[in-house]
Amino acid sequence: MITTEPRGALVTPPLQQPARRPTPRRRGAVVAAGLPAAVVALLAAAAGPAAAATTGSSGVGDPYFPLAGNGGYNVHHYDLTLGYDPKTRHLEGRAVITARATERLTRFDLDLKGLKVTSITVNHAKAAFRRDGQELVVSPRKALRKGQEFRTTVTYAGTPGPVTDPDGSLDGWIPTDDGAFVAGEPQGAMTWFPANNHPKDKASYDFAITVPAGRTAVSNGVFRGQKTAKGRTTFRWRQSEPMAAYLATATVGTFKVEQYTAPGGLKVFNAVDPREAAASAAVLKKLPSVLAWESTLFGPYPFKGAGAIVDRAPQAGYALETQARPVYDRAPDLSTLVHESAHQWFGNSVSLTTWKDIWLNEGFATYAEWLYDEQHGGQSAQKTFDALYASPASSDLWAFPPADPGSGAHIFDAPVYSRGAMALHKLRTAVGDRTFLRILRTWASDHRDGHGTTAQFIRLSERQSGKDLDQLFHTWIGTKGKPSKP
Ligand code: TRP
Ligand code: ZN
């Protein structure tokens, strides 16, 4: 774990430095804010894991991505063995998925888009399967009992490519000029492995990825070594803490590798496209101190490994907080590094139960950028808030409530990021620095390796502060349009 500076209230240093890129945030709990807890619980249960018939279900009930994930089982572990040739763009895969049935199952679904499945076994017996869009429907020879642990092996191959999201962006397996940039938020995990593709179902992962010698395959968690034979190198990785499928990566390229142990014992593995090396060196050097600073604010860093993958991937055009080791489409600036690092607590260790709650990821990571500036000689969070509040009522910033983006097409828009961060700033000024930090730390520790909802965050904030915060949250995350006062 990283050593940290002494914790304390947010002592606010001086000014200077321009406001950050505007971003947004999102909603969800607003609704919950005004409702009695029992009603909220009922609603959550109703929206929850699809009532499982004996056939599982084709989604977990996410309103924005109805086919994402599947009902009827929970995955504990994915063991993924992959081979990729950047020249032919051919992928060969074998996924061994250990799961437990939550209902009696005569069949169940996995999510997989494209690629050709050559065989499936369940508990070592050949299983029948069919494809139906992104649903891979598996019929085991023998029905699975409720509560039974079972092991599914899927062998597959093909030429993976990205999926196009409702907002037009690409995610999943994105080929580059020297390999592939692999980033699966929100949907793309299913473009390269069969998955229960929703953050509700987190699991541990092992990866063995084989690429032509000279290329490097970089994944999540801890590096477990590499072996070269017959002109190919296999890289092994292990993510032992639970991870949502969208946070998995297997990014391949020609990379400069740097490994070291940071003060406090954290193992860092960086892989950098040589063309981005000069531009990223100064920022990457700060990774240990950024994680240490975030640990003082948010609590212990939640994972065993750390690092960065700096690729050159103009086709992607964004970075992603892939677990323990974010992937960057180019040399990141410092605020992007701070943002993706903050996601390790908010979004990765504490996961969403529905994409509608995306502000719990993006609003928090954005507010971490504001705090970083404030405490490192940049402008205060108040100044950043004020600059945003000055946006005209017609601005996209006010287009929808952060906690209710309305559809998957808006989950990465400005209200989710920037207005989400504004809501946290309002919370901070309402409860005071000490209580605010206690709320953030308690959120990270109470939900570590698990999930959190907007309603739970509001309840925690009220409990920790002893204040009624319904109105504040309603105004800042639950209402569309520019609030009448800052
Ligand atoms: N979650 C990423 C971040 O804020 C952003 C992201 C992931 C994204 N997928 C995207 C942005 C698709 C736009 C489109 O760090
Ligand atoms: Zn983010």
Side-chain angles (χ1 to χ4, degrees):
M1 228 48 26
I2 314 195
T3 47
T4 59
E5 305 150 15
R7 50 180 60 177
L10 303 168
V11 194
T12 310
L15 25 130
Q16 191 178 67
Q17 192 146 53
R20 210 112 305 299
R21 60 186 134 102
T23 13
R25 203 190 224 210
R26 95 98 75 181
R27 153 328 133 144
V30 168
V31 177
L35 297 176
V39 176
V40 173
L42 270 178
L43 289 174
T54 60
T55 53
S57 67
S58 58
V60 297
D62 193 287
Y64 295 175
F65 298 95
L67 293 177
N70 305 283
Y73 63 94
N74 287 314
V75 177
H76 299 157
H77 187 75
Y78 293 90
D79 192 336
L80 303 180
T81 305
L82 306 173
Y84 189 62
D85 182 351
K87 219 165 36 212
T88 61
R89 299 189 170 182
H90 184 76
L91 176 75
E92 304 216 333
R94 191 191 65 203
V96 180
I97 303 169
T98 312
R100 187 183 298 278
T102 55
E103 298 294 333
R104 180 183 130 85
L105 291 174
T106 56
R107 64 167 208 249
F108 61 91
D109 285 16
L110 289 161
D111 298 307
L112 184 69
K113 204 167 155 80
L115 304 170
K116 187 175 163 44
V117 174
T118 48
S119 88
I120 299 186
T121 64
V122 176
N123 294 334
H124 307 288
K126 252 193 170 346
F129 62 90
R130 65 183 165 82
R131 308 292 296 273
D132 181 6
Q134 74 180 62
E135 301 303 312
L136 169 57
V137 184
V138 182
S139 301
R141 181 166 302 170
K142 228 175 125 205
L144 301 163
R145 298 181 314 275
K146 176 173 179 171
Q148 185 181 348
E149 176 138 320
F150 64 103
R151 179 202 261 218
T152 305
T153 301
V154 181
T155 311
Y156 59 101
T159 311
V163 60
T164 302
D165 294 323
D167 64 1
S169 56
L170 300 180
D171 84 294
W173 193 278
I174 304 177
T176 57
D177 58 5
D178 64 354
F181 178 91
V182 182
E185 189 185 30
Q187 305 193 79
M190 64 183 171
T191 67
W192 59 283
F193 68 98
N196 196 19
N197 191 20
H198 192 277
K200 261 190 164 166
D201 193 5
K202 295 165 71 163
S204 56
Y205 286 71
D206 276 293
F207 302 86
I209 312 161
T210 301
V211 292
R215 307 291 163 113
T216 301
V218 198
S219 187
N220 310 92
V222 171
F223 181 51
R224 310 251 299 150
Q226 70 188 71
K227 255 200 193 106
T228 301
K230 297 186 190 143
R232 304 195 338 146
T233 307
T234 300
F235 294 83
R236 288 177 194 281
W237 298 89
R238 172 168 294 170
Q239 177 61 56
S240 49
E241 298 89 0
M243 175 166 78
Y246 78 91
L247 295 168
T249 190
T251 292
V252 176
T254 303
F255 292 127
K256 280 169 71 170
V257 168
E258 170 190 37
Q259 290 189 75
Y260 60 91
T261 302
L266 186 67
K267 285 200 159 46
V268 176
F269 186 111
N270 293 333
V272 180
D273 187 309
R275 297 166 292 183
E276 300 291 332
S280 58
V283 165
L284 280 194
K285 227 188 271 164
K286 295 194 186 234
L287 178 63
S289 69
V290 166
L291 292 175
W293 173 79
E294 290 179 343
S295 302
T296 68
L297 296 186
F298 310 145
Y301 176 74
F303 305 122
K304 281 194 207 60
I309 307 166
V310 180
D311 203 349
R312 178 173 284 191
Q315 308 88 333
Y318 59 84
L320 182 64
E321 62 268 23
T322 43
Q323 193 150 306
R325 191 165 293 101
V327 61
Y328 299 92
D329 61 313
R330 69 188 80 171
D333 59 19
L334 182 55
S335 65
T336 304
L337 186 91
V338 168
H339 179 107
E340 307 309 342
S341 296
H343 274 310
Q344 304 309 314
W345 285 261
F346 306 116
N348 295 8
S349 176
V350 183
S351 292
L352 303 178
T353 60
T354 164
W355 287 107
K356 197 177 171 191
D357 275 343
I358 183 76
W359 83 276
L360 292 173
N361 293 7
E362 302 306 345
F364 285 52
T366 301
Y367 198 64
E369 296 175 52
W370 297 13
L371 290 175
Y372 190 88
D373 277 355
E374 177 174 294
Q375 299 202 353
H376 294 83
Q379 94 181 343
S380 68
Q382 185 63 50
K383 275 236 162 87
T384 307
F385 178 98
D386 291 343
L388 283 164
Y389 187 76
S391 310
S394 59
S395 164
D396 285 350
L397 178 59
W398 317 114
F400 59 81
D404 197 0
S407 84
H410 298 293
I411 58 177
F412 300 119
D413 288 0
V416 173
Y417 286 72
S418 293
R419 189 172 165 187
M422 293 177 87
L424 288 178
H425 187 71
K426 290 300 295 180
L427 173 63
R428 173 185 169 190
T429 54
V431 304
D433 286 1
R434 268 177 180 290
T435 303
F436 177 65
L437 284 181
R438 197 170 65 235
I439 291 167
L440 292 187
R441 271 188 220 117
T442 307
W443 181 247
S445 66
D446 282 4
H447 299 273
R448 182 171 178 159
D449 291 336
H451 298 87
T453 66
T454 300
Q456 288 171 332
F457 184 72
I458 294 170
R459 246 181 274 132
L460 173 68
S461 299
E462 294 191 326
R463 226 187 304 126
Q464 291 287 332
S465 66
K467 290 192 149 87
D468 178 350
L469 299 167
D470 283 3
Q471 197 51 51
L472 183 153
F473 281 109
H474 180 69
T475 301
W476 286 94
I477 64 172
T479 311
K480 86 169 199 186
K482 182 174 177 174
S484 56
K485 11 184 223 13

Coordinates of all heavy atoms in Angstrom, one line a residue, residues 84-140:
Y84 N -3.1 -13.0 -30.1 CA -3.4 -11.9 -31.0 C -2.2 -11.6 -32.0 O -1.1 -11.5 -31.5 CB -3.8 -10.6 -30.3 CG -4.4 -9.6 -31.2 CD1 -5.6 -9.8 -31.9 CD2 -3.8 -8.4 -31.4 CE1 -6.1 -8.9 -32.8 CE2 -4.3 -7.4 -32.3 CZ -5.5 -7.7 -33.0 OH -6.0 -6.7 -33.8
D85 N -2.6 -11.5 -33.2 CA -1.6 -11.2 -34.2 C -1.9 -9.8 -34.8 O -2.9 -9.7 -35.6 CB -1.5 -12.3 -35.3 CG -0.5 -12.0 -36.3 OD1 0.1 -10.8 -36.3 OD2 -0.2 -12.8 -37.2
P86 N -1.2 -8.8 -34.5 CA -1.6 -7.5 -35.0 C -1.6 -7.4 -36.5 O -2.3 -6.5 -37.1 CB -0.5 -6.6 -34.4 CG 0.0 -7.3 -33.2 CD -0.1 -8.7 -33.5
K87 N -0.8 -8.2 -37.1 CA -0.7 -8.1 -38.6 C -2.0 -8.6 -39.3 O -2.6 -7.9 -40.1 CB 0.5 -9.0 -39.1 CG 1.2 -8.2 -40.2 CD 2.5 -8.7 -40.7 CE 2.8 -10.1 -40.7 NZ 4.2 -10.4 -40.4
T88 N -2.5 -9.8 -38.8 CA -3.7 -10.3 -39.4 C -4.9 -9.9 -38.7 O -6.1 -10.1 -39.1 CB -3.7 -11.8 -39.4 OG1 -3.6 -12.3 -38.0 CG2 -2.4 -12.4 -40.2
R89 N -4.7 -9.3 -37.5 CA -5.8 -8.9 -36.6 C -6.7 -10.1 -36.1 O -7.9 -10.0 -35.8 CB -6.7 -7.8 -37.2 CG -5.9 -6.6 -37.5 CD -6.8 -5.4 -37.9 NE -6.0 -4.2 -37.9 CZ -6.5 -3.0 -38.2 NH1 -7.8 -2.9 -38.5 NH2 -5.7 -1.9 -38.2
H90 N -6.0 -11.3 -36.1 CA -6.7 -12.5 -35.7 C -6.6 -12.7 -34.2 O -5.5 -12.6 -33.7 CB -6.2 -13.7 -36.5 CG -6.9 -15.0 -36.2 ND1 -8.2 -15.2 -36.8 CD2 -6.6 -16.0 -35.5 CE1 -8.6 -16.4 -36.4 NE2 -7.6 -16.9 -35.6
L91 N -7.7 -13.0 -33.6 CA -7.7 -13.3 -32.1 C -8.1 -14.7 -31.9 O -9.1 -15.2 -32.5 CB -8.6 -12.4 -31.4 CG -8.8 -12.6 -29.9 CD1 -7.6 -12.1 -29.1 CD2 -10.1 -11.9 -29.4
E92 N -7.4 -15.4 -31.1 CA -7.9 -16.8 -30.6 C -8.1 -16.7 -29.1 O -7.2 -16.1 -28.4 CB -6.9 -17.8 -30.9 CG -6.5 -17.8 -32.4 CD -6.2 -19.2 -32.9 OE1 -5.8 -20.1 -32.1 OE2 -6.4 -19.4 -34.1
G93 N -9.2 -17.2 -28.6 CA -9.5 -17.1 -27.2 C -10.0 -18.3 -26.6 O -10.7 -19.2 -27.3
R94 N -9.7 -18.5 -25.3 CA -10.4 -19.5 -24.5 C -10.7 -18.9 -23.2 O -9.8 -18.3 -22.5 CB -9.5 -20.7 -24.3 CG -10.3 -21.9 -23.7 CD -9.5 -23.0 -23.2 NE -8.6 -22.6 -22.1 CZ -7.5 -23.1 -21.8 NH1 -7.0 -24.1 -22.4 NH2 -6.8 -22.6 -20.7
A95 N -12.0 -18.9 -22.9 CA -12.4 -18.3 -21.6 C -12.9 -19.4 -20.7 O -13.8 -20.2 -21.1 CB -13.5 -17.3 -21.9
V96 N -12.4 -19.5 -19.5 CA -12.9 -20.5 -18.5 C -13.6 -19.6 -17.4 O -12.9 -18.8 -16.8 CB -11.8 -21.3 -17.9 CG1 -12.3 -22.3 -16.9 CG2 -11.0 -22.1 -19.0
I97 N -14.9 -19.8 -17.3 CA -15.7 -18.9 -16.5 C -16.3 -19.7 -15.3 O -17.0 -20.7 -15.6 CB -16.8 -18.3 -17.3 CG1 -16.2 -17.5 -18.5 CG2 -17.7 -17.4 -16.5 CD1 -17.2 -17.1 -19.5
T98 N -15.9 -19.4 -14.1 CA -16.4 -20.0 -13.0 C -17.5 -19.2 -12.4 O -17.3 -18.0 -12.1 CB -15.3 -20.2 -11.9 OG1 -14.2 -20.8 -12.6 CG2 -15.8 -21.2 -10.8
A99 N -18.7 -19.8 -12.2 CA -19.9 -19.0 -11.8 C -20.7 -19.8 -10.9 O -20.5 -21.0 -10.7 CB -20.7 -18.6 -13.0
R100 N -21.7 -19.2 -10.2 CA -22.6 -19.9 -9.4 C -24.0 -19.5 -9.9 O -24.4 -18.4 -10.1 CB -22.5 -19.5 -7.9 CG -23.3 -20.3 -7.0 CD -23.2 -19.8 -5.5 NE -21.9 -20.0 -5.0 CZ -21.3 -21.1 -4.5 NH1 -22.1 -22.2 -4.5 NH2 -20.1 -21.2 -4.1
A101 N -24.9 -20.6 -10.0 CA -26.2 -20.3 -10.5 C -27.1 -19.8 -9.3 O -27.0 -20.2 -8.2 CB -26.8 -21.7 -10.9
T102 N -27.8 -18.7 -9.6 CA -28.7 -18.1 -8.6 C -30.1 -18.7 -8.7 O -31.0 -18.4 -7.9 CB -28.7 -16.6 -8.7 OG1 -29.1 -16.3 -10.0 CG2 -27.4 -16.0 -8.4
E103 N -30.3 -19.5 -9.7 CA -31.6 -20.2 -9.9 C -31.3 -21.5 -10.6 O -30.2 -21.7 -11.1 CB -32.5 -19.4 -11.0 CG -32.8 -18.0 -10.5 CD -33.8 -17.9 -9.3 OE1 -34.5 -18.9 -9.1 OE2 -33.7 -17.0 -8.6
R104 N -32.3 -22.4 -10.6 CA -32.1 -23.6 -11.4 C -32.0 -23.1 -12.9 O -32.8 -22.2 -13.3 CB -33.3 -24.5 -11.2 CG -33.2 -25.8 -12.0 CD -34.5 -26.6 -11.8 NE -35.1 -27.0 -13.1 CZ -34.7 -28.0 -13.8 NH1 -33.8 -28.8 -13.3 NH2 -35.3 -28.3 -15.0
L105 N -31.1 -23.6 -13.6 CA -30.9 -23.1 -15.0 C -30.8 -24.3 -16.0 O -30.0 -25.2 -15.9 CB -29.5 -22.4 -15.1 CG -29.4 -21.0 -14.4 CD1 -28.0 -20.5 -14.5 CD2 -30.4 -20.0 -15.0
T106 N -31.7 -24.2 -17.0 CA -31.6 -25.2 -18.1 C -30.8 -24.6 -19.2 O -30.3 -25.2 -20.1 CB -33.0 -25.6 -18.6 OG1 -33.7 -24.4 -19.0 CG2 -33.8 -26.3 -17.5
R107 N -30.8 -23.3 -19.2 CA -29.9 -22.6 -20.1 C -29.6 -21.2 -19.5 O -30.2 -20.7 -18.6 CB -30.4 -22.5 -21.5 CG -31.7 -21.7 -21.6 CD -32.0 -21.3 -23.1 NE -32.7 -20.1 -23.2 CZ -34.0 -20.0 -23.6 NH1 -34.7 -21.1 -23.9 NH2 -34.6 -18.9 -23.6
F108 N -28.5 -20.6 -20.1 CA -28.2 -19.2 -19.6 C -27.5 -18.5 -20.7 O -27.0 -19.1 -21.7 CB -27.3 -19.3 -18.4 CG -26.0 -20.0 -18.6 CD1 -24.8 -19.3 -19.0 CD2 -25.9 -21.4 -18.4 CE1 -23.6 -20.0 -19.2 CE2 -24.6 -22.1 -18.7 CZ -23.5 -21.3 -19.0
D109 N -27.3 -17.2 -20.6 CA -26.7 -16.4 -21.6 C -25.4 -15.8 -21.2 O -25.1 -15.6 -20.0 CB -27.6 -15.1 -22.0 CG -28.8 -15.4 -22.8 OD1 -29.2 -16.6 -22.9 OD2 -29.4 -14.5 -23.3
L110 N -24.4 -15.7 -22.1 CA -23.3 -14.8 -22.0 C -23.4 -13.7 -23.0 O -24.2 -13.9 -23.9 CB -22.0 -15.6 -22.2 CG -21.6 -16.6 -21.1 CD1 -20.6 -17.7 -21.6 CD2 -21.0 -15.9 -19.9
D111 N -22.6 -12.6 -22.9 CA -22.6 -11.6 -23.9 C -21.4 -11.8 -24.7 O -20.2 -11.9 -24.2 CB -22.6 -10.2 -23.3 CG -23.9 -10.0 -22.4 OD1 -25.0 -10.2 -23.0 OD2 -23.7 -9.6 -21.2
L112 N -21.5 -11.9 -26.0 CA -20.4 -11.9 -27.0 C -20.8 -11.4 -28.3 O -21.8 -11.8 -28.9 CB -19.9 -13.4 -27.1 CG -18.6 -13.5 -28.0 CD1 -17.4 -13.0 -27.3 CD2 -18.4 -15.0 -28.3
K113 N -20.0 -10.4 -28.8 CA -20.4 -9.8 -30.1 C -19.4 -10.1 -31.2 O -18.2 -9.9 -30.9 CB -20.6 -8.3 -29.9 CG -21.5 -7.6 -30.9 CD -21.8 -6.2 -30.4 CE -22.1 -5.3 -31.6 NZ -23.5 -5.5 -32.1
G114 N -19.8 -10.7 -32.3 CA -18.9 -11.0 -33.3 C -18.1 -12.3 -32.9 O -18.4 -12.9 -31.9
L115 N -17.0 -12.6 -33.6 CA -16.2 -13.8 -33.3 C -16.9 -15.1 -33.5 O -18.2 -15.1 -33.5 CB -15.6 -13.7 -31.9 CG -14.8 -12.4 -31.6 CD1 -14.5 -12.3 -30.1 CD2 -13.5 -12.4 -32.4
K116 N -16.2 -16.1 -33.7 CA -16.8 -17.4 -34.0 C -16.6 -18.3 -32.8 O -15.4 -18.5 -32.4 CB -16.2 -18.0 -35.3 CG -17.0 -19.3 -35.7 CD -16.4 -19.8 -37.0 CE -16.8 -21.2 -37.3 NZ -18.2 -21.6 -37.0
V117 N -17.6 -18.9 -32.3 CA -17.5 -19.8 -31.1 C -17.3 -21.2 -31.7 O -18.1 -21.6 -32.5 CB -18.7 -19.8 -30.2 CG1 -18.6 -20.8 -29.1 CG2 -18.8 -18.4 -29.6
T118 N -16.2 -21.9 -31.3 CA -16.0 -23.2 -31.8 C -16.5 -24.3 -30.9 O -16.9 -25.4 -31.4 CB -14.5 -23.4 -32.2 OG1 -13.7 -23.0 -31.1 CG2 -14.2 -22.6 -33.4
S119 N -16.4 -24.1 -29.6 CA -17.0 -25.1 -28.7 C -17.2 -24.5 -27.3 O -16.6 -23.6 -26.9 CB -16.0 -26.3 -28.6 OG -15.1 -26.1 -27.5
I120 N -18.2 -25.1 -26.6 CA -18.5 -24.7 -25.3 C -18.7 -26.0 -24.4 O -19.4 -26.9 -24.9 CB -19.8 -23.9 -25.2 CG1 -19.6 -22.6 -26.0 CG2 -20.1 -23.5 -23.7 CD1 -20.7 -21.6 -25.8
T121 N -18.1 -26.0 -23.3 CA -18.4 -27.1 -22.3 C -18.9 -26.4 -21.0 O -18.5 -25.3 -20.7 CB -17.1 -28.0 -22.0 OG1 -16.1 -27.2 -21.4 CG2 -16.5 -28.6 -23.3
V122 N -19.7 -27.2 -20.4 CA -20.1 -26.8 -19.0 C -19.8 -28.0 -18.1 O -20.3 -29.1 -18.4 CB -21.6 -26.4 -19.0 CG1 -22.1 -26.1 -17.5 CG2 -21.9 -25.2 -19.9
N123 N -19.0 -27.7 -17.1 CA -18.6 -28.8 -16.2 C -18.0 -30.0 -17.1 O -18.3 -31.1 -16.8 CB -19.7 -29.3 -15.3 CG -20.1 -28.2 -14.3 OD1 -19.2 -27.3 -14.0 ND2 -21.3 -28.2 -13.8
H124 N -17.2 -29.6 -18.0 CA -16.5 -30.6 -18.9 C -17.4 -31.4 -19.8 O -16.9 -32.2 -20.6 CB -15.7 -31.5 -18.0 CG -14.8 -30.8 -17.1 ND1 -13.7 -30.1 -17.5 CD2 -14.9 -30.6 -15.7 CE1 -13.1 -29.5 -16.5 NE2 -13.8 -29.8 -15.4
A125 N -18.7 -31.1 -19.9 CA -19.5 -31.8 -20.8 C -19.9 -30.8 -22.0 O -20.2 -29.7 -21.7 CB -20.8 -32.3 -20.2
K126 N -19.8 -31.3 -23.2 CA -20.2 -30.4 -24.3 C -21.6 -29.8 -24.1 O -22.5 -30.5 -23.8 CB -20.1 -31.3 -25.6 CG -18.9 -30.9 -26.4 CD -19.0 -31.5 -27.8 CE -17.9 -31.0 -28.8 NZ -17.2 -29.8 -28.3
A127 N -21.7 -28.5 -24.4 CA -23.0 -27.9 -24.2 C -23.4 -27.4 -25.6 O -22.6 -27.0 -26.5 CB -22.8 -26.7 -23.3
A128 N -24.7 -27.4 -25.8 CA -25.3 -26.8 -27.0 C -25.3 -25.3 -26.9 O -25.4 -24.8 -25.8 CB -26.7 -27.3 -27.2
F129 N -25.2 -24.6 -28.0 CA -25.3 -23.1 -27.9 C -25.8 -22.5 -29.2 O -25.7 -23.2 -30.2 CB -23.9 -22.5 -27.6 CG -22.8 -22.8 -28.6 CD1 -22.7 -21.9 -29.7 CD2 -22.0 -23.9 -28.6 CE1 -21.7 -22.1 -30.7 CE2 -21.1 -24.1 -29.5 CZ -20.9 -23.2 -30.6
R130 N -26.3 -21.3 -29.1 CA -26.7 -20.6 -30.3 C -26.3 -19.1 -30.1 O -26.2 -18.7 -29.0 CB -28.1 -20.8 -30.7 CG -29.1 -20.3 -29.7 CD -30.6 -20.6 -30.1 NE -31.5 -20.4 -29.0 CZ -32.0 -19.2 -28.6 NH1 -31.7 -18.1 -29.3 NH2 -32.8 -19.1 -27.6
R131 N -26.3 -18.4 -31.2 CA -26.0 -16.9 -31.1 C -27.2 -16.2 -31.5 O -28.0 -16.6 -32.4 CB -24.9 -16.6 -32.2 CG -23.6 -17.4 -32.1 CD -22.8 -17.1 -30.9 NE -22.3 -15.8 -30.7 CZ -21.2 -15.3 -31.2 NH1 -20.4 -16.1 -31.9 NH2 -20.8 -14.1 -31.1
D132 N -27.5 -15.1 -30.7 CA -28.6 -14.3 -31.0 C -28.2 -12.8 -30.7 O -28.3 -12.4 -29.6 CB -29.8 -14.7 -30.1 CG -31.1 -13.9 -30.4 OD1 -31.1 -13.1 -31.3 OD2 -32.0 -14.1 -29.6
G133 N -27.7 -12.1 -31.7 CA -27.1 -10.8 -31.5 C -26.0 -10.9 -30.5 O -25.1 -11.8 -30.7
Q134 N -26.0 -10.1 -29.5 CA -24.9 -10.2 -28.5 C -25.1 -11.3 -27.5 O -24.2 -11.5 -26.6 CB -24.7 -8.8 -27.8 CG -25.8 -8.5 -26.8 CD -25.6 -7.1 -26.1 OE1 -25.6 -6.1 -26.8 NE2 -25.3 -7.1 -24.8
E135 N -26.2 -12.0 -27.6 CA -26.4 -13.1 -26.6 C -25.9 -14.4 -27.1 O -26.1 -14.8 -28.2 CB -27.9 -13.2 -26.3 CG -28.6 -12.0 -25.8 CD -28.0 -11.5 -24.5 OE1 -27.8 -12.3 -23.6 OE2 -27.7 -10.2 -24.4
L136 N -25.0 -15.0 -26.3 CA -24.6 -16.3 -26.6 C -25.3 -17.2 -25.6 O -25.2 -17.2 -24.4 CB -23.0 -16.4 -26.3 CG -22.4 -17.8 -26.2 CD1 -22.6 -18.5 -27.5 CD2 -20.9 -17.6 -26.0
V137 N -26.2 -18.0 -26.2 CA -27.2 -18.8 -25.4 C -26.7 -20.2 -25.2 O -26.5 -20.9 -26.2 CB -28.6 -18.8 -26.0 CG1 -29.6 -19.5 -25.1 CG2 -29.0 -17.4 -26.4
V138 N -26.4 -20.6 -24.0 CA -25.8 -21.9 -23.7 C -26.7 -22.8 -23.0 O -27.4 -22.4 -22.0 CB -24.5 -21.6 -22.7 CG1 -23.8 -23.0 -22.4 CG2 -23.6 -20.6 -23.3
S139 N -26.8 -24.0 -23.5 CA -27.7 -25.0 -22.9 C -26.8 -26.2 -22.4 O -26.4 -27.0 -23.2 CB -28.7 -25.5 -23.9 OG -29.5 -24.5 -24.4
P140 N -26.6 -26.2 -21.1 CA -25.8 -27.3 -20.6 C -26.5 -28.6 -20.8 O -27.7 -28.7 -20.8 CB -25.6 -27.0 -19.1 CG -26.2 -25.7 -18.9 CD -27.0 -25.3 -20.1

